Amino acid sequence: MRIPYFVIVQLLEAVDECHCERPQGAKQSLKIASSLSLLAMTRLLPEAELLPYFAPGSRQRKSFTIIELIMVIIIMGIVLIPLGIMSMDFTREIVYSRDSGTAEGLVKVEMAKVNNLAFADLTLNNGYDNTVSNYEGYPYDLRRRVNYANSPTNTLKRVQVTVYPAGNTTAPLVNAITYVANVSFGAGAGGSAALGLQANSMVVSGGSISGNNLINVTLANSDTLNAITITQMTISFTGASGISLKKVNIAGITVFSGGAYSGETINLGPTFTLAANTSYSSPVFLEFNKSLASVTALIFIMSDSFPTVNYIW
Amino acid sequence: MRNKGIALAALIIIMVLLAIIVFGVTLSITEGLRFNISNINNEKALCVAQAGMMSGLVDYLADGLISPQSNINVNPPSEFYYSVGESSSFMLIDGSNVRANGRVVNTWPIKNFNFDPASSIVINSIVVEWDYAANLVNMKIGNNYILKSASLSSPATINSANCFGGSIPLSIQGNTTYSGTNVQYLSFSANIPANLTVSLTFNFSDGSFLKKLLINGGKVTNNEFSLRATGKIGSGSSALARRTLTATYDVTTNKITSWQESTKHIIP
């Protein structure tokens, strides 16, 4: 039978401590008792390694006292018990951390799959509820549930993905919810050339009111390739009571005559065509039957049916 | 003789070392767990943000209008989403039929597609940028002059100080469309080249803005709007995680043309 060396050392240390603190007679008695005890121990425990302790020159001993030993045991006890409890908690946390991390990854995988499914896919049907064991080869089960989120329209589906430890559906690790709709991803509609309209090539400038007339309105066609044609005009104006438009003259040609009240659209006859890239030095002339105060809107309507912007004087 | 004990000192040293190790290990495990939980919350918030985005799109597809959605709880008690919510999210500018010819850029309808007519969006300023040597002379929105007989070089900022007739701030009511050839137009001082590029940036009273490429290198652009949705994990005012998605939706093709994450959250 072996006994730890330090135990014997501590016993001797205890005896030695007693020597220092007791009267001489008592010390002698104790010394004898301890010697006897030691003798008994060496007989009882012949394998105890005592020799190094009594080796020559070993009187300068540095060793633990019994008090220190007891303190160590108490303190270690105080420290180790909570540490043990904590280590168990930590172990659980480490396991949970590993599980939750993996579960999060699996949810991402499943959501990516869900987002790539057609809205009408069977696995996205209303009421779908399926659990896959050992999802993607991992020791976790994954459950997908689908329900309409906007009944009765039923154009939006609620998808719930839950990950559990394998075989344990009572403790979900992750539960994520999203919606899917019947929309798709793709390129936009932009990119074609902006369409040119006749009205956009029409440049109107100048013009002023003089008595019964609007004079010196200059027209130009900025389109370098194509002619544009004015077919109608819509005009709104203010002036003396009963005022009406009497005549329209463009580049020396009378294109309208008769009577038109404010807000009316008149048809030009003949229509007036502006050649490509041409400015007309003979301006537009509008004659009214009474004194003109203002033209609140003049819109030229082109042969492609699109109007110009409003012009005012 | 006096023996010198070293066990207590050694014990204290060992305990200090042990404490450091235990503290380090504790911190590592705790932070690792917190990191994982944070990741899970972030992933859930992203899923919820997608829910808000899809909900907004479905709302638009139903009637061409969108209602702001706040505090929608998809998984009680703590998973919410918020979608749209800013002025810029309600403004639709159709660049798919824009015309550019002569000196005029027109035929770009605009719409405030907020379902609620009382929910106006207010434009505080407009920045117009173009890429050829000309000045901006006129601009109309909603058939009203915003700029008239002016001469602004690019980039031109039109605001309350230089607009025509106090037209800015400009309010556009919910569920309102301004369409027509010249209801919105820009006119310049010189003829437009074939490869014109024009962009408009609308700055709204709530601090949001919308930049629209109206015509790009002489080509029409999309008829699209942007949508934003924020997912929040947490309850009440506290949030454990927020993720926000923005997307653009092309009305002409009925397709989502961009889908990205944003750090600009909707926080009511």
Side-chain angles (χ1 to χ4, degrees):
Chain A
M1 178 180 176
R2 279 190 175 273
I3 185 167
Y5 174 72
F6 77 89
V7 173
I8 293 168
V9 169
Q10 289 300 324
L11 283 170
L12 293 170
E13 193 73 33
V15 171
D16 195 38
E17 288 290 322
C18 291
H19 292 174
C20 302
E21 293 167 4
R22 291 171 185 264
Q24 194 61 34
K27 283 185 180 178
Q28 284 296 331
S29 302
L30 272 170
K31 207 164 192 176
I32 293 164
S34 62
S35 298
L36 289 171
S37 301
L38 187 60
L39 184 63
M41 285 174 69
T42 51
R43 284 184 176 276
L44 286 169
L45 309 169
E47 291 175 280
E49 297 171 4
L50 300 177
L51 281 176
Y53 191 80
F54 294 103
S58 65
R59 287 300 297 165
Q60 296 297 321
R61 303 188 303 271
K62 291 185 178 177
S63 54
F64 302 117
T65 68
I66 190 71
I67 298 169
E68 284 176 326
L69 193 64
I70 292 167
M71 285 177 66
V72 166
I73 292 167
I74 292 170
I75 294 173
M76 291 296 277
I78 292 170
V79 171
L80 284 178
I81 291 170
L83 270 181
I85 295 168
M86 282 171 69
S87 67
M88 285 190 292
D89 287 343
F90 288 163
T91 307
R92 276 196 293 269
E93 283 190 9
I94 289 168
V95 170
Y96 178 72
S97 182
R98 183 202 63 195
D99 285 347
S100 58
T102 310
E104 181 216 348
L106 296 178
V107 166
K108 279 185 182 176
V109 170
E110 180 69 0
M111 285 300 182
K113 288 180 181 177
V114 165
N115 285 328
N116 280 289
L117 291 173
F119 188 71
D121 191 278
L122 291 176
T123 62
L124 283 182
N125 273 354
N126 183 43
Y128 180 83
D129 186 348
N130 185 49
T131 302
V132 179
S133 298
N134 294 316
Y135 185 77
E136 297 288 332
Y138 289 87
Y140 302 93
D141 296 345
L142 185 141
R143 183 181 185 192
R144 186 202 299 172
R145 282 168 282 180
V146 182
N147 297 100
Y148 284 128
N150 64 340
S151 295
T153 316
N154 299 339
T155 50
L156 194 62
K157 291 175 179 174
R158 179 182 190 268
V159 180
Q160 183 170 3
V161 172
T162 312
V163 177
Y164 307 92
N168 180 9
T169 55
T170 58
L173 292 164
V174 180
N175 181 44
I177 292 172
T178 195
Y179 290 173
V180 292
N182 192 14
V183 290
S184 54
F185 290 77
S192 60
L195 300 176
L197 295 176
Q198 291 188 30
N200 295 334
S201 302
M202 178 96 149
V203 181
V204 179
S205 60
S208 62
I209 291 171
S210 175
N212 289 6
N213 306 317
L214 172 63
I215 59 174
N216 294 329
V217 178
T218 301
L219 298 183
N221 176 9
S222 64
D223 190 326
T224 56
L225 299 175
N226 304 301
I228 58 175
T229 301
I230 306 168
T231 57
Q232 294 177 305
M233 292 167 63
T234 299
I235 186 165
S236 299
F237 47 86
T238 62
S241 178
I243 185 172
S244 63
L245 177 64
K246 193 171 159 187
K247 189 168 77 173
V248 177
N249 191 302
I250 303 178
I253 302 169
T254 299
V255 295
F256 172 78
S257 62
Y261 291 101
S262 179
E264 287 189 20
T265 297
I266 59 172
N267 295 317
L268 303 192
T271 57
F272 184 77
T273 298
L274 292 83
N277 202 24
T278 302
S279 180
Y280 288 81
S281 56
S282 297
V284 176
F285 176 88
L286 281 79
E287 183 183 344
F288 294 81
N289 67 341
K290 291 185 179 178
S291 177
L292 178 67
S294 68
V295 174
T296 54
L298 176 58
I299 301 169
F300 298 90
I301 300 170
M302 316 305 290
S303 59
D304 61 5
S305 301
F306 283 90
T308 63
V309 297
N310 296 339
Y311 297 97
I312 59 175
W313 287 273
Chain B
M1 89 170 256
R2 186 176 181 81
N3 289 321
K4 292 181 180 176
I6 59 163
L8 192 56
L11 179 70
I12 291 169
I13 291 169
I14 289 168
M15 283 180 61
V16 169
L17 290 173
L18 203 60
I20 292 170
I21 292 167
V22 167
F23 179 74
V25 171
T26 308
L27 201 63
S28 171
I29 293 170
T30 309
E31 288 303 311
L33 185 61
R34 189 175 301 178
F35 178 73
N36 274 353
I37 290 173
S38 172
N39 277 350
I40 289 170
N41 284 333
N42 274 297
E43 181 63 24
K44 289 165 80 172
L46 190 65
C47 292
V48 178
Q50 178 182 319
M53 190 68 79
M54 290 296 173
S55 180
L57 284 173
V58 164
D59 186 22
Y60 175 80
L61 291 171
D63 56 7
L65 299 170
I66 282 186
S67 303
Q69 301 182 70
S70 294
N71 226 24
I72 307 298
N73 196 334
V74 297
N75 190 27
S78 61
E79 298 181 21
F80 303 88
Y81 70 75
Y82 304 83
S83 66
V84 290
E86 294 177 310
S87 296
S88 58
S89 298
F90 294 109
M91 180 108 163
L92 173 62
I93 303 170
D94 182 358
S96 63
N97 288 302
V98 66
R99 315 288 193 223
N101 218 327
R103 300 178 181 187
V104 175
V105 178
N106 62 10
T107 324
W108 37 280
I110 63 175
K111 179 179 183 180
N112 175 0
F113 57 91
N114 193 321
F115 179 80
D116 180 8
S119 295
S120 299
I121 55 177
V122 178
I123 299 168
N124 275 354
S125 66
I126 305 166
V127 180
V128 187
E129 294 175 80
W130 61 97
D131 63 348
Y132 80 110
N135 288 336
L136 181 63
V137 178
N138 297 308
M139 180 174 185
K140 264 188 172 182
I141 289 182
N143 212 26
N144 293 313
Y145 280 103
I146 301 299
L147 196 68
K148 188 170 183 228
S149 302
S151 182
L152 301 179
S153 57
S154 179
T157 300
I158 306 165
N159 53 31
S160 58
N162 63 353
C163 67
F164 175 75
S167 51
I168 287 180
L170 173 64
S171 179
I172 303 175
Q173 279 193 319
N175 195 5
T176 298
T177 302
Y178 294 143
S179 61
T181 305
N182 291 306
V183 173
Q184 277 80 235
Y185 81 88
L186 300 163
S187 71
F188 296 92
S189 60
N191 284 345
I192 290 167
N195 59 348
L196 172 71
T197 296
V198 177
S199 72
L200 301 174
T201 305
F202 293 87
N203 296 301
F204 300 99
S205 58
D206 63 357
S208 63
F209 71 92
L210 175 68
K211 185 166 186 174
K212 170 69 179 177
L213 201 56
L214 201 60
I215 182 166
N216 185 14
K219 296 181 184 302
V220 299
T221 54
N222 292 332
N223 178 21
E224 65 187 13
F225 63 87
S226 64
L227 200 61
R228 181 187 299 275
T230 295
K232 186 187 94 171
I233 305 299
S235 58
S237 58
S238 67
L240 299 172
R242 277 196 180 94
R243 298 282 289 272
T244 297
L245 290 169
T246 60
T248 51
Y249 186 78
D250 191 290
V251 174
T252 308
T253 59
N254 284 331
K255 288 185 187 298
I256 297 167
T257 50
S258 76
W259 183 275
Q260 57 199 339
E261 187 161 5
S262 166
T263 54
K264 193 178 176 188
H265 305 303
I266 299 172
I267 303 175

